[in-house]
Amino acid sequence: MKKALVTGASRGIGYAVAERLKEEYELFLICKSNPDLMSGLPGRHYTGDTGDHDFIEKVINDMDSVDLLVNNAGIACFDLIQDMTPEKWNDVLRTDLSSIYNTSHFAAKKMISRHSGRIINISSVWGLYGASCESAYSAAKGGVNAFTKALAKELAPSGIAVNALAPGVIDTDMNKNFSDEERADLTDRIPAGRMGTPEEVAEAVYLLSEMPVYLTGQIISIDGGFI
Ligand code: NAD
């Protein structure tokens, strides 16, 4: 059976991705805390920080191959730049960007040796266009997009596809702090008239994983026409 590593699988988009992949892949799932939330999912479960290089090395050492890597773990951060502390800045960059280096670093070695594999990064439309009061998040996701394009070029000769999905507003815990008014305002601005669902992003991840490897280096928005 093919093997997939999905980060941030305890809830939201990552959980939905794991659900969508579970019939076709042996799953290796990571979350930061609350591993109980993954108990309904098959496969091996790990609790740790994707920003921790040594932790990721141990997880990927357990995999004899990596057919699919879904880099989904991420955190948001809403702050005026003058209120952004170095701790918050570094936490966002570490979680949203350095994590993807960590997993790709170890997974690529296994993929290259088999001349096969796919990496799908979950970035954000804010990585393409920037969001007010989300400078760290936008910078990190912009970094993910550039990383995706660069790594696609590096790994294409090895038969490996690297792409990113850039969601707009998806109805997950990440957005739970919006007031009803903010939710309504956001929804009004989305041409599809609603937030996306984690299952829709998961379906896009699955379909992208089935595409020819010649489709690589792309940042594909999934945003209901938002941007
Ligand atoms: P969520 O907050 O519901 O879930 C985040 C998951 O990431 C959890 O499983 C959590 O355990 C894990 N995680 C966070 N930090 C981690 C760390 N350091 N180490 C290991 N795991 C960690 O979020 P979500 O809405 O499902 O978002 C998933 C991804 O999609 C994120 O990268 C996010 O930036 C991106 N995204 C979300 C939206 C949205 O509107 N929800 C929009 C665009 C992009």
Side-chain angles (χ1 to χ4, degrees):
M1 202 176 197
K2 292 184 290 182
K3 295 177 175 55
L5 174 60
V6 182
T7 68
S10 62
R11 63 188 205 189
I13 294 169
Y15 188 94
V17 168
E19 270 283 334
R20 184 64 184 87
L21 298 177
K22 71 182 182 188
E23 306 297 338
E24 293 184 36
Y25 289 86
E26 180 181 346
L27 297 176
F28 293 75
L29 307 175
I30 297 175
C31 72
K32 187 171 185 185
S33 51
N34 298 326
D36 293 356
L37 297 176
M38 301 193 293
S39 59
L41 294 166
R44 297 187 64 164
H45 299 174
Y46 300 85
T47 307
D49 179 1
T50 50
D52 177 344
H53 196 70
D54 296 338
F55 165 66
I56 294 300
E57 180 175 25
K58 285 188 192 116
V59 173
I60 296 184
N61 274 347
D62 286 349
M63 303 177 74
D64 51 23
S65 66
V66 185
D67 298 283
L68 174 62
L69 165 61
V70 183
N71 283 312
N72 165 77
I75 53 171
C77 178
F78 300 86
D79 249 325
L80 296 171
I81 191 66
Q82 59 271 34
D83 296 334
M84 173 79 65
T85 62
E87 290 73 26
K88 283 186 193 167
W89 175 270
N90 289 331
D91 195 23
V92 173
L93 270 289
R94 175 187 164 96
T95 305
D96 293 1
L97 183 56
S98 300
S99 293
I100 290 180
Y101 150 69
N102 288 334
T103 51
S104 302
H105 173 77
F106 293 111
K109 290 179 189 169
K110 304 217 168 192
M111 291 177 176
I112 290 165
S113 67
R114 301 175 76 235
H115 207 80
S116 152
R118 290 155 193 286
I119 299 174
I120 300 176
N121 299 321
I122 307 298
S123 70
S124 163
V125 289
W126 301 139
L128 292 164
Y129 301 103
S132 174
C133 302
E134 294 190 72
S135 57
Y137 185 75
S138 301
K141 295 298 190 177
V144 171
N145 290 340
F147 179 87
T148 299
K149 287 179 174 290
L151 197 62
K153 290 180 175 157
E154 184 176 324
L155 296 182
S158 301
I160 298 161
V162 186
N163 291 292
L165 280 173
V169 188
I170 309 300
D171 199 1
T172 70
D173 285 352
M174 188 172 268
N175 295 320
K176 71 177 178 212
N177 291 329
F178 288 137
S179 66
D180 288 349
E181 196 182 350
E182 285 167 333
R183 282 178 76 91
D185 178 53
L186 255 177
T187 305
D188 276 354
R189 289 161 50 208
I190 301 169
R194 60 175 177 84
M195 295 185 181
T197 67
E199 290 73 25
E200 286 172 310
V201 181
E203 187 64 20
V205 167
Y206 174 72
L207 293 173
L208 193 48
S209 76
E210 293 287 298
M211 286 286 158
V213 287
Y214 206 70
L215 195 171
T216 194
Q218 302 307 303
I219 316 300
I220 301 167
S221 293
I222 172 163
D223 67 356
F226 186 33
I227 301 291

